[in-house]
Amino acid sequence: MVDYRSDNTGRAAPEILEALVQANTGTALGYGADEWTARLQDRFSELFETSVRVFPVATGTAANALSLATVSPSWGLVYCSELAHINTSEANAAGFFGGGLKLVPVAGSYGRIDPAAFRDMLAAVQPGQLHRGQPAAVNLTQATDLGAVYRVDDIAGVAEIARARGLKVHMDGARFANALSRLNCSPADMSWRAGVDILSFGATKNGGALCDAIVVFDPELADGLAVQLRRAGQVWSKMRFASAQLMAYVENGLWLRLARASNAAAARIAAGLEGLPGLRLVAPVEANEIFLEIPSAVMDALERDGFQFYRRSTTLARFVCRFDLTDAEADALVASLRRHCTLPAKGAE
Amino acid sequence: MVDYRSDNTGRAAPEILEALVQANTGTALGYGADEWTARLQDRFSELFETSVRVFPVATGTAANALSLATVSPSWGLVYCSELAHINTSEANAAGFFGGGLKLVPVAGSYGRIDPAAFRDMLAAVQPGQLHRGQPAAVNLTQATDLGAVYRVDDIAGVAEIARARGLKVHMDGARFANALSRLNCSPADMSWRAGVDILSFGATKNGGALCDAIVVFDPELADGLAVQLRRAGQVWSKMRFASAQLMAYVENGLWLRLARASNAAAARIAAGLEGLPGLRLVAPVEANEIFLEIPSAVMDALERDGFQFYRRSTTLARFVCRFDLTDAEADALVASLRRHCTLPAKGAE
Amino acid sequence: MVDYRSDNTGRAAPEILEALVQANTGTALGYGADEWTARLQDRFSELFETSVRVFPVATGTAANALSLATVSPSWGLVYCSELAHINTSEANAAGFFGGGLKLVPVAGSYGRIDPAAFRDMLAAVQPGQLHRGQPAAVNLTQATDLGAVYRVDDIAGVAEIARARGLKVHMDGARFANALSRLNCSPADMSWRAGVDILSFGATKNGGALCDAIVVFDPELADGLAVQLRRAGQVWSKMRFASAQLMAYVENGLWLRLARASNAAAARIAAGLEGLPGLRLVAPVEANEIFLEIPSAVMDALERDGFQFYRRSTTLARFVCRFDLTDAEADALVASLRRHCTLPAKGAE
Amino acid sequence: MVDYRSDNTGRAAPEILEALVQANTGTALGYGADEWTARLQDRFSELFETSVRVFPVATGTAANALSLATVSPSWGLVYCSELAHINTSEANAAGFFGGGLKLVPVAGSYGRIDPAAFRDMLAAVQPGQLHRGQPAAVNLTQATDLGAVYRVDDIAGVAEIARARGLKVHMDGARFANALSRLNCSPADMSWRAGVDILSFGATKNGGALCDAIVVFDPELADGLAVQLRRAGQVWSKMRFASAQLMAYVENGLWLRLARASNAAAARIAAGLEGLPGLRLVAPVEANEIFLEIPSAVMDALERDGFQFYRRSTTLARFVCRFDLTDAEADALVASLRRHCTLPAKGAE
């Protein structure tokens, strides 16, 4: 069996768990007033080349929803891609933590927000009109929910439209490292320098274990968020065990090594499928996910061959590469696809 | 330095971290659909001698607030001790997750709810009256926030009053193991058999690392809670790393060994203070906490001697014993207290 | 100037204000414990041929949002037409009062929910799946937001699909009287007999002044709603002045007379436009609203002729008929449209 | 029967209903975009001698809860008197609209906040501490819930403490006119000049019918509140009928005439009770309410004599004077009390 279901079905990088174990020494003040968490602030400020506040949280859903609740009043509108994870997969956590804030889907290609569509939607809302709520923020999912990546200029373009109208910019970086690895730019370039105010910094999908983080670039947002997190049950009393994970995650470039590995696996598979008839890549493979349009009979055949993956519809399959996927496993998927797509799939007539 | 500030300043039991590391093998479905979490259901059902649903969560605050949101409508009143942690120390998480539910403090001794006071308060609320909200649930903190323990009959007594009026019963078991160890009864006796519907099952304060749990005895509550938890950002995608911790916590009686150790340290200190003039135990020492009324000059002296603890007021000090506190450390505190309380404290004249 | 902007720009029926003035006698208990409100319960139970609870509220938005908060848990999904007022025009009141519940738009014609589309959407949600919330209720806007009317069978069809999955059924009856007048059936047939559990009973748009109501058919929903309404600031202390309005509204068939008048005006206009080139009715005119696709130059010309109406887009104009619109005013609109649509509109070349 | 149960059991001043009827002419844009509401802005700005925004709302509960939600983040603490209406009688509307904000009772005499107690409570909260939420606002009930009145200096004193810590100041003016009439100062002096940022402006208890208002002095708060009100179902589509009531309420000093009448009735009763043994005024009678400690047998006797009032406990009775209470009715209550308090009450031995 080879598991392509999700990057969260995978293991944690051993370095991260090792750091957690190493943190189990002596006593330390609770709720983030420990030395590990203090060092984390410094380390991330260095990493992002500006003074940031970083808050470890249990999950990406918490990171997203609490970030949005921080940048939007409860009657706010938060614009996002039609396919955005916050809109399709987080049980409306944003609406809940945001006290009734509303997500507004914007069209675009490959899970991105189309700048022109976004600008038009904003233009259609009269400042002060009451019946629809008021625009408050925009969310960018990086990498997108179809495995594509916003270029730095794309981010800056959307952010500029947002800021011209007084909106804040949130990035859902559940796969921040994958996107960063793809763009080969600095964390600063892909975030605050491009206009991002607050970032859900994902680790779990990229070899982490039990925590992600919120990185706050706009200092005015941090103090309120701190109380909100405490109240949201997202502040561990033994925070050092979370902070230690995040420190290990970025130490010595581990996070980028992990992301490069899963990106490379996805690219290897995509390259192997080039020119193959009977399938269609739904989006460019720019991170560690592959969305393929294939007949459902081909999906059946892949499963018989021992591959696990998600069927998003009867003709859409998603394959996600973990950091520890081997070349042999990648090649096996390619081989299986080549076999079933070139031959008429059983039962597909 | 000896740290009596809190049980959450302490280490995790090595067995628990070891189990977390051991879980780092193979792939596993996310969000609790893994084998570790499945086994956890069985193990806790066995432990509680009834079929339960157990949900790992990041923090005790999440466990409490989401439990209360499950047993109360948003306009509900939740009764609790005046000193209850949910009321004094969780940034009104219950009000937030509960959509505006209101906590109503009830008098009692040593952080307990006085049954008569509770009965009278309920009697004063007309069913159907609109101006104050409607009674929905009662919360019992076990052990209490002054380190006392409800006897099984005490729990049953409060629960009976509650149930007669249609209220649900929630136990905040942040120190469930400490209380259990004290009472030397079964987990079932101290929970559902005494009328508890839903339990915040604490692990962190008793040698855990990054998770606590909600244990649901009333099966009608579980499915809704499951969705609510997902939305609350409390469902880890790599849940196995949480479930493995909780499995290790209860395996081979580890949790009770840890609780017995911290309880014993507290009892040892309390015994050492007997008959000492100039101090007063504010509540019976029945778990791992000691609340002492002592002059602030004595507190200064203790700090000079290297003891860390919290000042709850100018004359009230709290000492919490961790599972790994040594006899020597306990005796040192006693010796220091004996020295400073029998001699006139410096600066106290 | 003739005002076609909305039915809420119009006057109240004098009978309703007169009743309000008549209620200004003697003293009466507050918050609905008065005789007027008691009589209202009886009167509406008679009107709906079943025992109902009726709660006067200030606005249709309050009626809708609080009804939905009553039939859905906070993590629930509420299905509605893509064009539903609750989704497009109430500033996400449903999400707010519902503690984060989410509206899910369903396709259909003329502002209706298409039963097949609704069935398919429900089928795509796994019971127990966590990532998207769980289906809780369906909302029907009667008359629809394009001025069409669900037939009794249409309502029953959608309700049946909903109930088969355990969903509750809410009707937004902001124009309940208009629809009822069109269908010429009983209030019971168009509501609970067709499967409706809770109804926003509109009066304001049809000659009311300052209140609408929630009518509850499912008795289990009423007691909780009563507390929720008090807390929502929707229970007037001098409730008699609201209840008296609603009594007058339904007395002697006033509400149906008013609705017939505004429906007739709309029908008269629609008939006058038949066969006219250069315009298109976007939906059948079944209540008191007319949605016309016309060039924006025609809209300009109409405004120059003294007609007020809303431009929904550059080519979509909405005309709403009030109960006191005269035949002459209706004919004037027709005449103006005939003039500008048959001649090439100025500036339209 | 003479009704002393509440001022909201009474009639509306005929002038107010007459104004509502007079507003029933022509068409007017909905949701506050009408001429009546525009004039209301000017009139209240004149009345308060500064530019204000005034929002009609259905109830005092809505005015209070939405005001507090405007001046406090959802994790905020709002200080209020132990007896404050927002804390005891509004079904936790503040917690609901405020997304989980918490009310913190402060001690004081006669329903007032004691400035020293308030200062001490604020001093005990560390800025940035997470466990209890953060101070956000203070609420003053004027007149208080025991019928006393804050002097202008009292208000300024509390407001100064609040502002020194960055808190906003809300006044619950359900009986604003009664207090104003007592102090004989200007509306400006009793509100923004003394430090009030936002005011619940009561009309209903003082001869109003179906609306109260929020008056916003801090212009930064108004735009957000406007959207929040729309979403809260507090913006009538036929707003003119509300605005017309509020215009009539303040026109020609009507509101002060009404308040002087009810205040005078209460003062007449209080004067009549002077020196009477067997009863005790619980608070000075400074507005239109009288709180009397009398034996429950006396209460029985009063009821037999035809007086209606509320029993707040077995020995505490509340009598509220309406604007249209006659001298004869006031004297009758005094006579009855004199009779039953001087003679041993039946059944009281």
Side-chain angles (χ1 to χ4, degrees):
Chain A
M1 302 289 275
V2 186
D3 189 340
Y4 283 99
R5 290 175 296 187
S6 180
D7 24 21
N8 61 37
T9 64
R11 293 184 303 125
E15 294 90 334
I16 289 172
L17 300 188
E18 175 58 24
L20 189 161
V21 171
Q22 290 300 323
N24 197 27
T25 175
T27 67
L29 267 183
Y31 302 101
D34 61 87
E35 289 170 30
W36 289 264
T37 307
R39 282 201 298 272
L40 186 69
Q41 308 304 311
D42 294 340
R43 185 71 191 88
F44 269 61
S45 292
E46 187 184 71
L47 199 69
F48 281 95
E49 303 171 54
T50 190
S51 176
V52 304
R53 292 274 292 277
V54 51
F55 299 97
V57 293
T59 63
T61 295
N64 286 335
L66 285 155
S67 292
L68 294 175
T70 296
V71 293
S72 171
S74 63
W75 59 83
L77 301 177
V78 175
Y79 296 84
C80 62
S81 159
E82 293 168 336
L83 301 175
H85 202 257
I86 58 168
N87 190 33
T88 65
S89 305
E90 298 186 346
N92 202 22
F96 170 64
F97 281 105
L101 72 76
K102 190 165 186 177
L103 301 175
V104 182
V106 183
S109 56
Y110 312 136
R112 297 194 196 102
I113 285 178
D114 177 63
F118 177 42
R119 184 184 288 113
D120 290 352
M121 291 183 83
L122 282 181
V125 180
Q126 308 288 345
Q129 68 85 354
L130 306 180
H131 303 320
R132 292 174 190 234
Q134 280 289 318
V138 66
N139 160 275
L140 298 163
T141 315
Q142 175 78 321
T144 78
D145 288 274
L146 282 181
V149 167
Y150 284 94
R151 301 301 173 272
V152 168
D153 283 355
D154 299 335
I155 299 167
V158 171
E160 199 179 332
I161 296 166
R163 284 161 168 258
R165 184 73 182 255
L167 279 68
K168 296 281 185 187
V169 180
H170 168 248
M171 178 175 280
D172 173 359
R175 294 189 178 88
F176 188 82
N178 296 89
L180 196 63
S181 169
R182 168 78 187 192
L183 294 185
N184 207 18
C185 68
S186 73
D189 286 343
M190 207 175 80
S191 58
W192 64 273
R193 279 205 197 106
V196 174
D197 296 295
I198 191 165
L199 168 67
S200 296
F201 181 87
T204 306
K205 290 181 193 295
N206 185 38
L210 287 173
C211 63
D212 293 309
I214 299 175
V215 179
V216 183
F217 302 110
D218 178 341
E220 295 198 356
L221 303 176
D223 287 340
L225 177 58
V227 184
Q228 179 73 295
L229 284 165
R230 174 70 185 88
R231 193 178 63 153
Q234 291 288 340
V235 180
W236 283 285
S237 60
K238 290 181 174 167
M239 182 66 91
R240 54 169 146 172
F241 294 118
S243 296
Q245 290 178 59
L246 289 168
M247 286 292 282
Y249 177 66
V250 299
E251 217 48 70
N252 300 317
L254 173 63
W255 62 319
L256 297 176
R257 277 204 311 280
L258 298 170
R260 274 197 299 268
S262 56
N263 282 6
R268 184 181 186 97
I269 294 166
L273 301 180
E274 232 163 80
L276 198 62
L279 60 73
R280 191 177 72 84
L281 277 173
V282 168
V285 177
E286 300 179 339
N288 66 327
E289 295 189 286
I290 300 163
F291 289 82
L292 277 185
E293 219 169 82
I294 43 177
S296 102
V298 171
M299 297 193 215
D300 297 342
L302 289 172
E303 285 180 348
R304 282 192 304 268
D305 287 355
F307 297 99
Q308 298 173 299
F309 55 93
Y310 277 122
R311 299 179 184 223
R312 285 293 179 87
S313 78
T314 51
T315 59
L316 180 60
R318 186 187 75 158
F319 302 84
V320 190
C321 298
R322 290 165 287 105
F323 74 88
D324 56 358
L325 195 83
T326 64
D327 283 359
E329 289 171 324
D331 293 344
L333 177 61
V334 170
S336 182
L337 275 162
R338 298 195 78 89
R339 196 158 57 242
H340 300 299
C341 286
T342 43
L343 295 176
K346 282 180 205 164
E349 19 329 60
Chain B
M1 301 290 274
V2 186
D3 189 339
Y4 284 99
R5 289 175 298 187
S6 180
D7 25 20
N8 61 38
T9 64
R11 292 184 303 125
E15 294 91 333
I16 290 172
L17 299 188
E18 175 60 24
L20 189 161
V21 172
Q22 290 301 322
N24 197 26
T25 174
T27 67
L29 267 184
Y31 302 101
D34 61 87
E35 290 170 29
W36 288 264
T37 306
R39 283 201 296 272
L40 185 69
Q41 308 304 311
D42 294 339
R43 185 69 192 89
F44 269 61
S45 293
E46 187 185 72
L47 199 69
F48 280 95
E49 304 171 54
T50 189
S51 175
V52 303
R53 292 274 292 277
V54 50
F55 299 96
V57 294
T59 64
T61 295
N64 286 335
L66 286 155
S67 292
L68 294 175
T70 296
V71 293
S72 170
S74 63
W75 59 84
L77 301 176
V78 175
Y79 296 84
C80 62
S81 159
E82 293 168 335
L83 302 175
H85 202 258
I86 57 167
N87 190 33
T88 65
S89 305
E90 298 186 346
N92 202 22
F96 170 64
F97 281 106
L101 70 77
K102 190 165 185 176
L103 300 175
V104 182
V106 183
S109 56
Y110 312 136
R112 296 194 197 102
I113 285 178
D114 178 63
F118 178 41
R119 185 183 289 113
D120 289 353
M121 290 183 83
L122 282 181
V125 181
Q126 309 287 346
Q129 68 85 354
L130 304 181
H131 302 321
R132 292 172 190 237
Q134 280 289 318
V138 65
N139 160 275
L140 298 163
T141 316
Q142 176 78 322
T144 77
D145 287 274
L146 283 181
V149 167
Y150 284 94
R151 302 301 173 271
V152 168
D153 282 356
D154 299 336
I155 299 167
V158 172
E160 200 180 329
I161 296 166
R163 283 160 170 259
R165 184 73 182 256
L167 279 67
K168 296 280 185 187
V169 181
H170 169 247
M171 178 174 281
D172 173 359
R175 293 188 179 91
F176 188 82
N178 297 89
L180 196 64
S181 170
R182 167 78 187 192
L183 295 185
N184 207 16
C185 67
S186 74
D189 285 344
M190 206 174 81
S191 58
W192 63 274
R193 280 205 197 106
V196 174
D197 295 296
I198 191 165
L199 167 68
S200 296
F201 181 87
T204 305
K205 290 181 195 295
N206 186 38
L210 287 174
C211 64
D212 293 308
I214 299 174
V215 179
V216 184
F217 302 112
D218 178 341
E220 294 197 356
L221 303 176
D223 286 341
L225 177 57
V227 184
Q228 179 72 296
L229 284 165
R230 175 70 185 89
R231 193 178 62 155
Q234 291 287 341
V235 180
W236 283 284
S237 60
K238 290 181 174 167
M239 182 66 91
R240 54 168 147 172
F241 293 119
S243 296
Q245 291 179 59
L246 289 167
M247 286 292 283
Y249 177 65
V250 299
E251 216 50 70
N252 300 317
L254 173 62
W255 62 319
L256 297 176
R257 277 205 311 281
L258 298 170
R260 274 197 298 268
S262 56
N263 281 7
R268 184 181 185 97
I269 294 167
L273 301 180
E274 231 162 81
L276 197 62
L279 60 72
R280 191 176 73 83
L281 277 174
V282 169
V285 177
E286 299 180 338
N288 66 326
E289 294 190 288
I290 300 163
F291 289 83
L292 277 186
E293 219 169 81
I294 44 177
S296 105
V298 171
M299 296 194 215
D300 296 343
L302 289 173
E303 285 180 348
R304 282 192 303 268
D305 287 356
F307 296 99
Q308 298 173 299
F309 56 91
Y310 278 122
R311 300 179 184 223
R312 285 293 179 87
S313 77
T314 53
T315 60
L316 179 60
R318 186 187 76 158
F319 302 84
V320 189
C321 298
R322 290 165 287 107
F323 73 89
D324 56 358
L325 195 82
T326 64
D327 283 358
E329 289 171 325
D331 293 344
L333 177 61
V334 170
S336 182
L337 274 163
R338 297 196 78 89
R339 197 157 56 241
H340 300 300
C341 285
T342 44
L343 294 175
K346 281 179 206 167
E349 24 319 64
Chain C
M1 301 291 275
V2 186
D3 190 339
Y4 284 98
R5 290 175 298 187
S6 181
D7 24 22
N8 60 38
T9 65
R11 292 184 303 125
E15 294 90 333
I16 290 173
L17 299 189
E18 175 59 25
L20 190 161
V21 171
Q22 290 301 323
N24 197 26
T25 174
T27 68
L29 266 184
Y31 302 101
D34 60 87
E35 290 171 28
W36 288 264
T37 307
R39 283 200 297 271
L40 186 69
Q41 308 304 311
D42 294 340
R43 185 69 191 87
F44 269 60
S45 293
E46 186 184 73
L47 199 68
F48 281 96
E49 304 171 53
T50 188
S51 175
V52 304
R53 293 274 292 278
V54 51
F55 299 96
V57 293
T59 64
T61 295
N64 286 334
L66 286 155
S67 292
L68 293 176
T70 296
V71 293
S72 170
S74 64
W75 59 84
L77 302 176
V78 175
Y79 296 84
C80 62
S81 159
E82 293 168 335
L83 301 175
H85 202 258
I86 57 168
N87 191 34
T88 65
S89 305
E90 298 186 346
N92 202 22
F96 170 65
F97 281 106
L101 71 76
K102 190 164 185 176
L103 300 175
V104 183
V106 183
S109 57
Y110 311 136
R112 295 193 197 103
I113 285 178
D114 178 63
F118 177 41
R119 185 183 287 113
D120 289 352
M121 290 183 84
L122 282 180
V125 181
Q126 308 289 344
Q129 67 85 353
L130 305 180
H131 302 320
R132 291 173 190 237
Q134 281 288 318
V138 66
N139 159 276
L140 298 162
T141 315
Q142 176 76 323
T144 78
D145 288 274
L146 283 181
V149 168
Y150 284 94
R151 301 301 172 271
V152 169
D153 281 357
D154 298 335
I155 299 167
V158 171
E160 200 181 330
I161 296 167
R163 285 160 168 259
R165 183 74 183 255
L167 279 68
K168 296 280 185 187
V169 180
H170 168 247
M171 177 174 281
D172 173 359
R175 293 188 178 91
F176 188 82
N178 296 89
L180 196 64
S181 168
R182 168 77 186 194
L183 294 186
N184 207 17
C185 67
S186 74
D189 285 344
M190 205 175 81
S191 58
W192 64 274
R193 279 205 197 107
V196 174
D197 294 296
I198 190 165
L199 167 68
S200 295
F201 181 87
T204 305
K205 290 181 194 296
N206 185 39
L210 287 174
C211 64
D212 293 308
I214 300 175
V215 179
V216 183
F217 302 111
D218 178 341
E220 295 198 354
L221 302 176
D223 287 340
L225 176 58
V227 184
Q228 179 73 296
L229 283 166
R230 175 68 186 87
R231 194 177 62 154
Q234 291 287 340
V235 180
W236 283 285
S237 61
K238 291 180 173 168
M239 182 66 90
R240 54 169 147 171
F241 294 117
S243 296
Q245 290 178 59
L246 289 167
M247 286 292 282
Y249 177 66
V250 299
E251 217 49 70
N252 299 319
L254 173 63
W255 63 318
L256 297 176
R257 277 204 312 280
L258 299 170
R260 274 197 298 269
S262 56
N263 281 7
R268 184 181 185 98
I269 294 167
L273 302 179
E274 232 163 82
L276 198 62
L279 60 73
R280 189 177 72 85
L281 277 174
V282 169
V285 176
E286 300 180 338
N288 66 325
E289 294 189 288
I290 301 163
F291 290 82
L292 276 185
E293 219 170 82
I294 43 177
S296 102
V298 171
M299 297 194 214
D300 298 342
L302 289 172
E303 285 181 349
R304 282 191 304 269
D305 288 355
F307 297 99
Q308 297 174 300
F309 56 92
Y310 278 121
R311 298 179 185 223
R312 285 293 180 86
S313 77
T314 51
T315 60
L316 180 60
R318 185 187 76 158
F319 302 84
V320 189
C321 298
R322 290 165 287 105
F323 73 88
D324 55 358
L325 195 82
T326 64
D327 283 358
E329 289 171 326
D331 293 344
L333 177 61
V334 170
S336 182
L337 274 163
R338 298 195 78 89
R339 197 157 59 240
H340 300 300
C341 287
T342 44
L343 295 175
K346 281 180 206 164
E349 42 295 81
Chain D
M1 302 289 275
V2 186
D3 189 340
Y4 283 99
R5 290 175 297 186
S6 181
D7 24 21
N8 61 37
T9 64
R11 291 183 303 125
E15 295 90 334
I16 290 172
L17 300 189
E18 176 59 24
L20 190 160
V21 171
Q22 290 300 323
N24 197 26
T25 173
T27 68
L29 266 183
Y31 302 101
D34 61 87
E35 289 170 29
W36 288 263
T37 307
R39 282 200 298 272
L40 185 69
Q41 308 303 311
D42 295 339
R43 186 68 191 90
F44 269 61
S45 294
E46 186 185 73
L47 199 69
F48 280 96
E49 304 170 54
T50 189
S51 176
V52 303
R53 292 274 292 278
V54 50
F55 298 96
V57 294
T59 65
T61 295
N64 286 335
L66 285 155
S67 291
L68 294 175
T70 296
V71 293
S72 171
S74 63
W75 59 84
L77 301 176
V78 175
Y79 297 84
C80 62
S81 159
E82 294 168 334
L83 302 175
H85 202 258
I86 58 168
N87 191 33
T88 65
S89 305
E90 298 186 346
N92 202 22
F96 170 65
F97 281 106
L101 71 77
K102 189 165 186 176
L103 299 175
V104 183
V106 183
S109 56
Y110 311 136
R112 295 194 197 103
I113 284 179
D114 178 63
F118 177 42
R119 185 183 288 113
D120 289 353
M121 291 182 83
L122 282 181
V125 180
Q126 307 289 346
Q129 67 85 353
L130 305 180
H131 302 321
R132 293 174 189 235
Q134 281 289 317
V138 65
N139 159 275
L140 298 161
T141 316
Q142 176 77 323
T144 78
D145 287 274
L146 283 181
V149 167
Y150 285 93
R151 301 302 173 271
V152 168
D153 281 356
D154 298 335
I155 298 167
V158 171
E160 200 181 329
I161 296 167
R163 284 161 169 256
R165 184 74 183 256
L167 279 67
K168 296 280 185 188
V169 180
H170 168 247
M171 177 175 281
D172 173 359
R175 292 187 179 91
F176 189 83
N178 297 89
L180 196 64
S181 169
R182 168 77 186 192
L183 295 185
N184 207 16
C185 67
S186 75
D189 286 343
M190 206 174 80
S191 58
W192 63 273
R193 280 206 197 107
V196 174
D197 295 296
I198 191 166
L199 166 69
S200 295
F201 181 87
T204 305
K205 291 181 192 295
N206 186 38
L210 286 173
C211 64
D212 293 309
I214 299 175
V215 179
V216 184
F217 302 111
D218 178 341
E220 295 198 355
L221 303 176
D223 286 341
L225 176 58
V227 183
Q228 179 73 297
L229 284 164
R230 175 68 186 88
R231 193 178 63 154
Q234 291 288 340
V235 180
W236 283 284
S237 61
K238 290 181 174 168
M239 181 67 90
R240 54 168 147 171
F241 294 118
S243 296
Q245 290 179 58
L246 289 167
M247 287 291 283
Y249 177 65
V250 299
E251 216 49 70
N252 300 319
L254 172 63
W255 62 318
L256 297 176
R257 278 204 311 280
L258 298 170
R260 274 197 299 268
S262 56
N263 281 6
R268 185 181 183 98
I269 294 167
L273 301 179
E274 230 162 81
L276 198 62
L279 60 74
R280 190 176 73 84
L281 277 173
V282 169
V285 176
E286 300 180 338
N288 65 326
E289 294 189 287
I290 300 163
F291 289 83
L292 277 185
E293 218 169 81
I294 43 177
S296 103
V298 172
M299 297 194 216
D300 296 342
L302 289 173
E303 285 181 348
R304 282 192 304 268
D305 287 355
F307 296 99
Q308 297 174 301
F309 56 93
Y310 276 122
R311 299 179 184 224
R312 284 293 179 88
S313 76
T314 51
T315 59
L316 180 59
R318 186 187 75 158
F319 302 84
V320 189
C321 298
R322 289 164 287 105
F323 73 89
D324 55 358
L325 195 82
T326 64
D327 283 358
E329 289 171 325
D331 293 343
L333 177 61
V334 171
S336 182
L337 274 163
R338 298 195 76 89
R339 196 158 57 241
H340 300 300
C341 286
T342 43
L343 295 175
K346 282 181 206 167
E349 21 326 59

